[in-house]
Amino acid sequence: MTGLLASVVTLEEAKLAARFKVSIIDLKQPANGALGALPVAEVRPIVNALQPEHCLSATIGDLPMQPEPVRQAVQAMAATGVDYVKIGFFTDGDWQPVLDALASVEARLIAVLFADQPLDLQWLQAFKQAGFSGVMLDTQNKRQSLTDWQSLDQLEAFVNQAKRLNLLAGLAGSLRAEHVPRLLPLAADYLGFRGGLCRAGRRTSGIDEQALTQVSQCFAAAGNAA
């Protein structure tokens, strides 16, 4: 079963996502970048309000690939009590020292790769060896969707490689309701949405209940739980 990840900015949005029983409530600030982070002080009250009944993730922001800043940001976000911490792996630095720095951090980590950057699936093995819980394929450029950058065959290869390594596999990147029936057969663990849930499709606008209903219904129509 493929679940729905809904990215939210506020406690009000998080409660709306919870009412729709989405699989993962993802805390982020889209105005600050592809993986813009909410301040820790804003994450804590959302976690306190929704756990343990709901699964929550949060991103650390669009940080450069520098070991110590990434480690500190991960530790700070993990301390809020979220279930998963998402880390964007960008092409502006050396990834292995970052993985080494995270070895001592006690948290369930999700590595986010970007479909609109060079993609090397061999790194999935390195994430597994570093103790990560999962991997996610997203887009940095939000003007185009995931399927504009990667074919269904390429996305399936990503999901299958992750599953062979017993990693959670997520797909995201300007997804809309019409992407759901195309992507569900790939059997990712979850599909991630933000702009597709928002008013007028703008990811920095608030979540629109009608859009969330439409996306949820697409999952249900295929026999998937949102």
Side-chain angles (χ1 to χ4, degrees), residues 6-9 13-14 16-17 193-194 197-199 202-203 205-212:
S7 292
V8 304
V9 179
E13 288 188 352
L16 176 60
F193 288 77
R194 174 61 192 180
L197 304 179
C198 292
R199 291 187 292 272
R202 292 192 294 267
R203 62 195 302 265
S205 300
I207 288 182
D208 177 69
E209 186 169 349
Q210 184 176 355
L212 180 53

Side-chain angles (χ1 to χ4, degrees), residues 127-140:
F127 294 129
K128 178 65 176 181
Q129 292 174 344
F132 277 60
S133 297
V135 291
M136 184 175 186
L137 192 59
D138 201 337
T139 59
Q140 237 185 318

Side-chain angles (χ1 to χ4, degrees), residues 156-196:
E156 185 175 32
F158 174 84
V159 171
N160 289 344
Q161 176 66 359
K163 287 182 174 291
R164 280 192 290 270
L165 294 168
N166 292 317
L167 292 167
L168 291 173
L171 298 175
S174 298
L175 299 183
R176 301 178 299 275
E178 58 263 32
H179 288 108
V180 175
R182 296 177 61 196
L183 294 177
L184 285 180
L186 305 184
D189 291 293
Y190 59 88
L191 303 179
F193 288 77
R194 174 61 192 180

Side-chain angles (χ1 to χ4, degrees), residues 27-28 37-48 56-59 77 80-82:
L27 312 180
K28 69 191 304 183
L38 276 180
V40 166
E42 296 179 23
V43 170
R44 285 199 182 98
I46 300 176
V47 173
N48 293 339
L56 287 89
S57 65
T59 175
M77 193 59 72
T80 66
V82 293

